[in-house]
Amino acid sequence: MSDISSKFAVGVNPFAKKRSGIADKLIMVVLISCASVAILATIGIVMSLIFETIRFFEQVPITDFLFGTHWSPQTAITAEVVGSSGAFGAVPLITGTLLISFIAMLIATPLGLASAVYLAEFASSRTRSIAKPLLEMLAGIPSVVYGFFAALTIAPFIRNTGATAGFEISSESALAAGIAMGIMVVPLVSSLSDDVINSVPQSLRDASLGMGATHAETVRKVVLPAAVPGIAGSLLLATSSAIGETMIVVMAAGLAANLTLNPFEAVTTVTVQIVTLLTGDQEFDSAKTLSAFALGLFLFVITLILNVIALKIVNHFREQYD
Amino acid sequence: MLNNSVESEQKMSEFEKTLDENGPIIQAKGVEVYYGEKQALFGIDIDFQKHQVTSLIGPSGCGKSTFLRCINRMNDLVDIARVEGQVIIENQDIYSKDVDVVALRAHVGMVFQKPNPFPKSIYDNVAYGPRIHKTVTSKDEMDYVVEHSLKRAGLWDEVKDRLQEQGTGLSGGQQQRLCIARAIAIEPKVILMDEPCSALDPIATAVVEELIDELRERFTIIIVTHSMQQAARVSQKTAFFHLGNLVEHGDTDQIFTNPQDDRTENYITGRIG
C-alpha cells in the first residue's frame, strides 16, 4: 500500500486538526487587550471631560461660557472678598487661539508649501536626501525649545524693532508665539504636502511635458491644481496641531485674556488657560477648576472636527488616483 | 470666416501631402540609448515618411518605447538615460545644443499608454496646449480650436453639451480620444503613440484605430503596439525591434507576409514574444 492511499484510508479524516491553536488564540487575546488599552483610555478621557464639563455648566450657564467676552476665573475662597463670582467668557481665549494659529499658518503655509514644491519637483535626489531629513528634524525639536526661542529671541527682537520704529510692543505678544509656532509646523506642512505632490501621477507630468510645457508650467498648471485638495488637508492638520499647541504660547503669548486681534498685544489661548487653571493646588469642585474641563472638551471637539475633515480630504485625494 | 479657414487648411494639407509624400520627415541615424551602464538600443537607422502611420512592434523590453521617446526627447526626463546618434526632424538634429526641447515637443506630440487627461474640464484639457504656447489669443478662437480638435478626435458629438465637466469623468476610450484631441490642438507635425489602445476595450480600440487612420491626412504618426493585428490594421510601415536592435522595417504588408529575417518571422508567427 502506498503512502497516499494510507493517508486517505476509509474512516480517517484527512483534514483532521493537527495543531490545537491555543498559541494562536493566546496571541490574539494579548493583541486585543493591548489595543483595547488605548481605546479604553481615549473613551475614559472623553467621558471624564464630558462629565466634568456638565458639572461646570451646572454652576455657569453655557451661554456665558460660549458668548461671554470676559475671562477672569479667580473665585474667592471666602465670600467676603469682592469679585468672588468669577467670569467665564471663553471668547477672548478662542480669539487668542485663533489669532495665534492664524499667524502660525500665515508663516507655515508659504514656507511649508514652497519647500514641499522644491523638494518634490525641483531638488536633485542628492539635495533631497540631505534637505528632507534636516527639515524633518525640525519636527523633532521639543516644543518647549521653540517656546524659549520665542520668548528669548523672537519676542525681544519684535519689541526692539517696534521700539526703534516708535511703537510700544509688549514683550509677550501673539506675533512672537505665532512666528515660533509657524516655524514649528513647517515640517508638518512640507512633509504632508510633499507626499501629496509626489502622489500626483507621473503620467500627468508626462502629458504636460510631452505637449511642450516647461517644468515650471507643469508644476503650476497641472501638478499643484491636482494636489490642491491634499494640500488643503495637510494645512488643516497643521492648523489643528497649532490650535492644540501649548508650550510656545505659555512662554511667549502671556496670560492676559485680552479680547483683541492686534498681534502686538499679549493674548492668551485655551491651552494656556487650562495649564494655569490646573497647575498648583486646586479644589475640584470650584467652577474655576471645572472650567478647564469645559475648555478641554471645546478644544477636543474643534481639533477632532478639523482632523476628520482633513483626513477625509486627504483620503479622498488618494482614492482618486489609486 | 471660420469655414474659409477650414477650407484653406484642407487645401493646404492636400498641397503638403502631394509635396511631401516623397521625403522623410524624421530620420534616425545610429541612435543608441544607455540606461546607466546598460545599453538599451543599438545603432537604430530608420526613416519615417510624412502622412504615414509607422508601427513599432516587438517583444516586451525590445526598446520600441525607448526609441519612440527619443523622437520627442522624453528620455531627457529619465536621469540615467543617455542618447547618442542623431534624430533629424525636417533637417534639424533634435539632439543638437541649440534645440529647445519645449519647441520640439510642440511639434512632436505624444499620446500615452494609459489615458492621462488632466483633472480639469474637457474644454481646459484641449485648451491646455494652445494656452501654454500662446498660439491662440481670443476666446472665440479658442472655442474654435477646442471644437475643431474634438471633432478631429471624433469626440465632439459625445461631449459638446458637457465641455465644462471633468475630463477624468469620461470613459477610458473617450479619455484617450480626449488626449488625442489635446495633442492635436497645438497642430504638431508628428504624433507619437505609445500603445494607445492597451488600456481600452475592443470597441473603444476600434474607434481609436479608425481615428488614427483619419489623422494620417494631417499628421505623421508613429505608434508602438503590442498587437500585431493592430499594426497590420493601422499602419503602412512597420518596424520590428528585438533586444534593442531594429531587425527589419518596411511596408507593413511585406513585413507580415514576407519577412526577411528569421526573428521577424518567429515573432509574427508567435514563436517568440
Side-chain angles (χ1 to χ4, degrees):
Chain A
M1 216 185 236
S2 72
D3 273 359
I4 301 268
S5 58
S6 72
K7 259 184 195 160
F8 289 93
V10 183
V12 179
N13 179 359
F15 310 119
K17 261 190 189 168
K18 296 220 171 53
R19 285 159 292 186
S20 64
I22 288 180
D24 284 14
K25 275 178 193 140
L26 202 67
I27 288 171
M28 208 158 78
V29 169
V30 171
L31 291 179
I32 288 176
S33 48
C34 289
S36 332
V37 169
I39 294 170
L40 289 175
T42 312
I43 293 173
I45 290 170
V46 174
M47 291 312 252
S48 93
L49 277 179
I50 291 173
F51 287 132
E52 301 300 330
T53 303
I54 291 170
R55 282 179 64 197
F56 172 69
F57 287 133
E58 279 164 4
Q59 299 182 27
V60 176
I62 188 164
T63 45
D64 284 10
F65 177 75
L66 287 179
F67 304 111
T69 55
H70 187 59
W71 178 265
S72 161
Q74 293 306 327
T75 42
I77 294 158
T78 49
E80 297 93 64
V81 184
V82 274
S84 62
S85 60
F88 295 96
V91 172
L93 311 188
I94 295 163
T95 45
T97 303
L98 293 181
L99 177 65
I100 290 178
S101 304
F102 179 76
I103 294 169
M105 294 314 293
L106 221 55
I107 306 269
T109 306
L111 285 180
L113 278 188
S115 43
V117 170
Y118 172 71
L119 284 178
E121 291 290 333
F122 295 103
S124 67
S125 53
R126 206 183 124 81
T127 320
R128 187 181 156 87
S129 68
I130 299 168
K132 201 167 153 74
L134 274 180
L135 194 62
E136 276 162 6
M137 250 168 65
L138 277 179
I141 299 175
S143 66
V144 67
V145 175
Y146 283 103
F148 64 70
F149 175 62
L152 300 181
T153 312
I154 303 176
F157 174 76
I158 293 171
R159 195 186 51 214
N160 295 339
T161 317
T164 41
F167 294 112
E168 183 84 25
I169 297 172
S170 65
S171 55
E172 288 178 327
S173 68
L175 189 61
I179 290 173
M181 203 189 273
I183 294 169
M184 192 187 76
V185 294
V186 162
L188 187 63
V189 174
S190 75
S191 97
L192 286 173
S193 303
D194 180 57
D195 290 348
V196 171
I197 291 170
N198 273 322
S199 75
V200 173
Q202 184 60 34
S203 68
L204 291 184
R205 293 186 181 84
D206 286 349
S208 174
L209 294 169
M211 301 201 56
T214 62
H215 193 165
E217 283 169 339
T218 301
V219 170
R220 204 156 34 100
K221 298 195 169 157
V222 174
V223 177
L224 286 183
V228 155
I231 289 172
S234 77
L235 291 180
L236 280 183
L237 280 179
T239 310
S240 96
S241 94
I243 288 176
E245 170 52 35
T246 312
M247 276 327 287
I248 294 174
V249 270
V250 168
M251 297 171 82
L255 295 172
N258 295 322
L259 179 56
T260 177
L261 289 177
N262 181 353
F264 298 114
E265 272 185 52
V267 294
T268 192
T269 67
V270 176
T271 50
V272 171
Q273 287 307 312
I274 295 174
V275 170
T276 49
L277 287 170
L278 293 185
T279 41
D281 296 333
Q282 302 295 341
E283 35 177 350
F284 255 78
D285 52 355
S286 76
K288 180 189 169 193
T289 315
L290 290 174
S291 69
F293 290 95
L295 289 175
L297 186 66
F298 179 79
L299 204 60
F300 172 74
V301 170
I302 297 284
T303 49
L304 187 70
I305 291 172
L306 279 179
N307 285 352
V308 168
I309 296 174
L311 288 176
K312 271 239 158 78
I313 293 175
V314 172
N315 284 338
H316 174 78
F317 180 75
R318 291 221 176 97
E319 280 162 21
Q320 212 181 329
Y321 288 118
D322 282 348
Chain B
M1 156 80 198
L2 290 181
N3 283 336
N4 278 345
S5 73
V6 176
E7 268 171 39
S8 68
E9 263 179 63
Q10 273 166 356
K11 268 184 203 150
M12 272 300 283
S13 78
E14 297 286 322
F15 174 69
E16 273 177 44
K17 234 169 111 179
T18 49
L19 193 81
D20 297 319
E21 211 101 273
N22 35 15
I25 182 173
I26 304 171
Q27 295 169 285
K29 291 182 178 169
V31 173
E32 311 211 318
V33 176
Y34 300 83
Y35 289 122
E37 296 291 299
K38 192 178 165 293
Q39 189 167 2
L41 280 181
F42 300 86
I44 308 295
D45 291 298
I46 185 172
D47 289 356
F48 295 95
Q49 309 297 321
K50 272 193 179 167
H51 302 293
Q52 287 197 326
V53 180
T54 306
S55 291
L56 310 181
I57 61 168
S60 297
C62 67
K64 54 193 190 302
S65 284
T66 298
F67 178 67
L68 189 77
R69 295 167 79 91
C70 288
I71 301 172
N72 68 346
R73 291 184 55 174
M74 284 300 270
N75 283 333
D76 289 14
L77 303 176
V78 183
D79 283 342
I80 55 166
R82 184 161 55 85
V83 179
E84 282 176 11
Q86 286 184 313
V87 177
I88 297 165
I89 299 182
E90 300 204 315
N91 302 320
Q92 173 63 52
D93 177 13
I94 61 167
Y95 282 94
S96 79
K97 282 212 172 70
D98 55 346
V99 165
D100 180 11
V101 180
V102 166
L104 167 70
R105 291 186 188 141
H107 286 97
V108 186
M110 191 160 192
V111 175
F112 296 84
Q113 190 169 356
K114 223 180 113 207
N116 54 358
F118 300 129
K120 299 170 184 284
S121 72
I122 293 168
Y123 186 100
D124 287 343
N125 261 283
V126 182
Y128 184 79
R131 273 184 192 142
I132 53 170
H133 294 295
K134 301 191 174 65
T135 51
V136 172
T137 44
S138 75
K139 173 87 173 70
D140 287 350
E141 214 181 330
M142 185 63 87
D143 287 348
Y144 171 73
V145 167
V146 169
E147 178 178 343
H148 191 55
S149 306
L150 284 169
K151 273 184 178 158
R152 285 201 296 205
L155 192 61
W156 176 251
D157 289 333
E158 291 158 66
V159 301
K160 64 183 173 197
D161 299 323
R162 45 176 177 146
L163 291 174
Q164 294 310 319
E165 281 176 33
Q166 288 281 303
T168 42
L170 297 171
S171 74
Q174 289 173 325
Q175 286 189 15
Q176 195 61 303
R177 278 180 285 147
L178 177 61
C179 294
I180 292 173
R182 183 176 64 186
I184 61 184
I186 48 171
E187 300 284 334
K189 293 195 171 67
V190 180
I191 303 176
L192 310 174
M193 297 185 170
D194 191 356
E195 300 185 38
C197 299
S198 65
L200 306 184
D201 62 66
I203 293 168
T205 300
V207 175
V208 171
E209 283 180 2
E210 205 174 308
L211 172 62
I212 291 171
D213 200 49
E214 285 165 20
L215 292 174
R216 183 163 74 90
E217 287 224 344
R218 296 190 44 84
F219 307 102
T220 305
I221 296 172
I222 304 172
I223 176 172
V224 164
T225 176
H226 259 116
S227 152
M228 281 173 282
Q229 289 82 351
Q230 184 169 65
R233 281 193 300 262
V234 302
S235 64
Q236 287 75 51
K237 302 273 184 187
T238 295
F240 172 65
F241 284 75
H242 187 242
L243 299 175
N245 292 295
L246 174 59
V247 174
E248 187 172 351
H249 66 282
D251 289 338
T252 300
D253 288 346
Q254 178 254 314
I255 296 283
F256 281 100
T257 55
N258 186 22
Q260 303 298 303
D261 194 286
D262 285 349
R263 287 169 292 178
T264 317
E265 185 170 353
N266 285 339
Y267 180 69
I268 60 174
T269 53
R271 262 170 280 178
I272 57 171

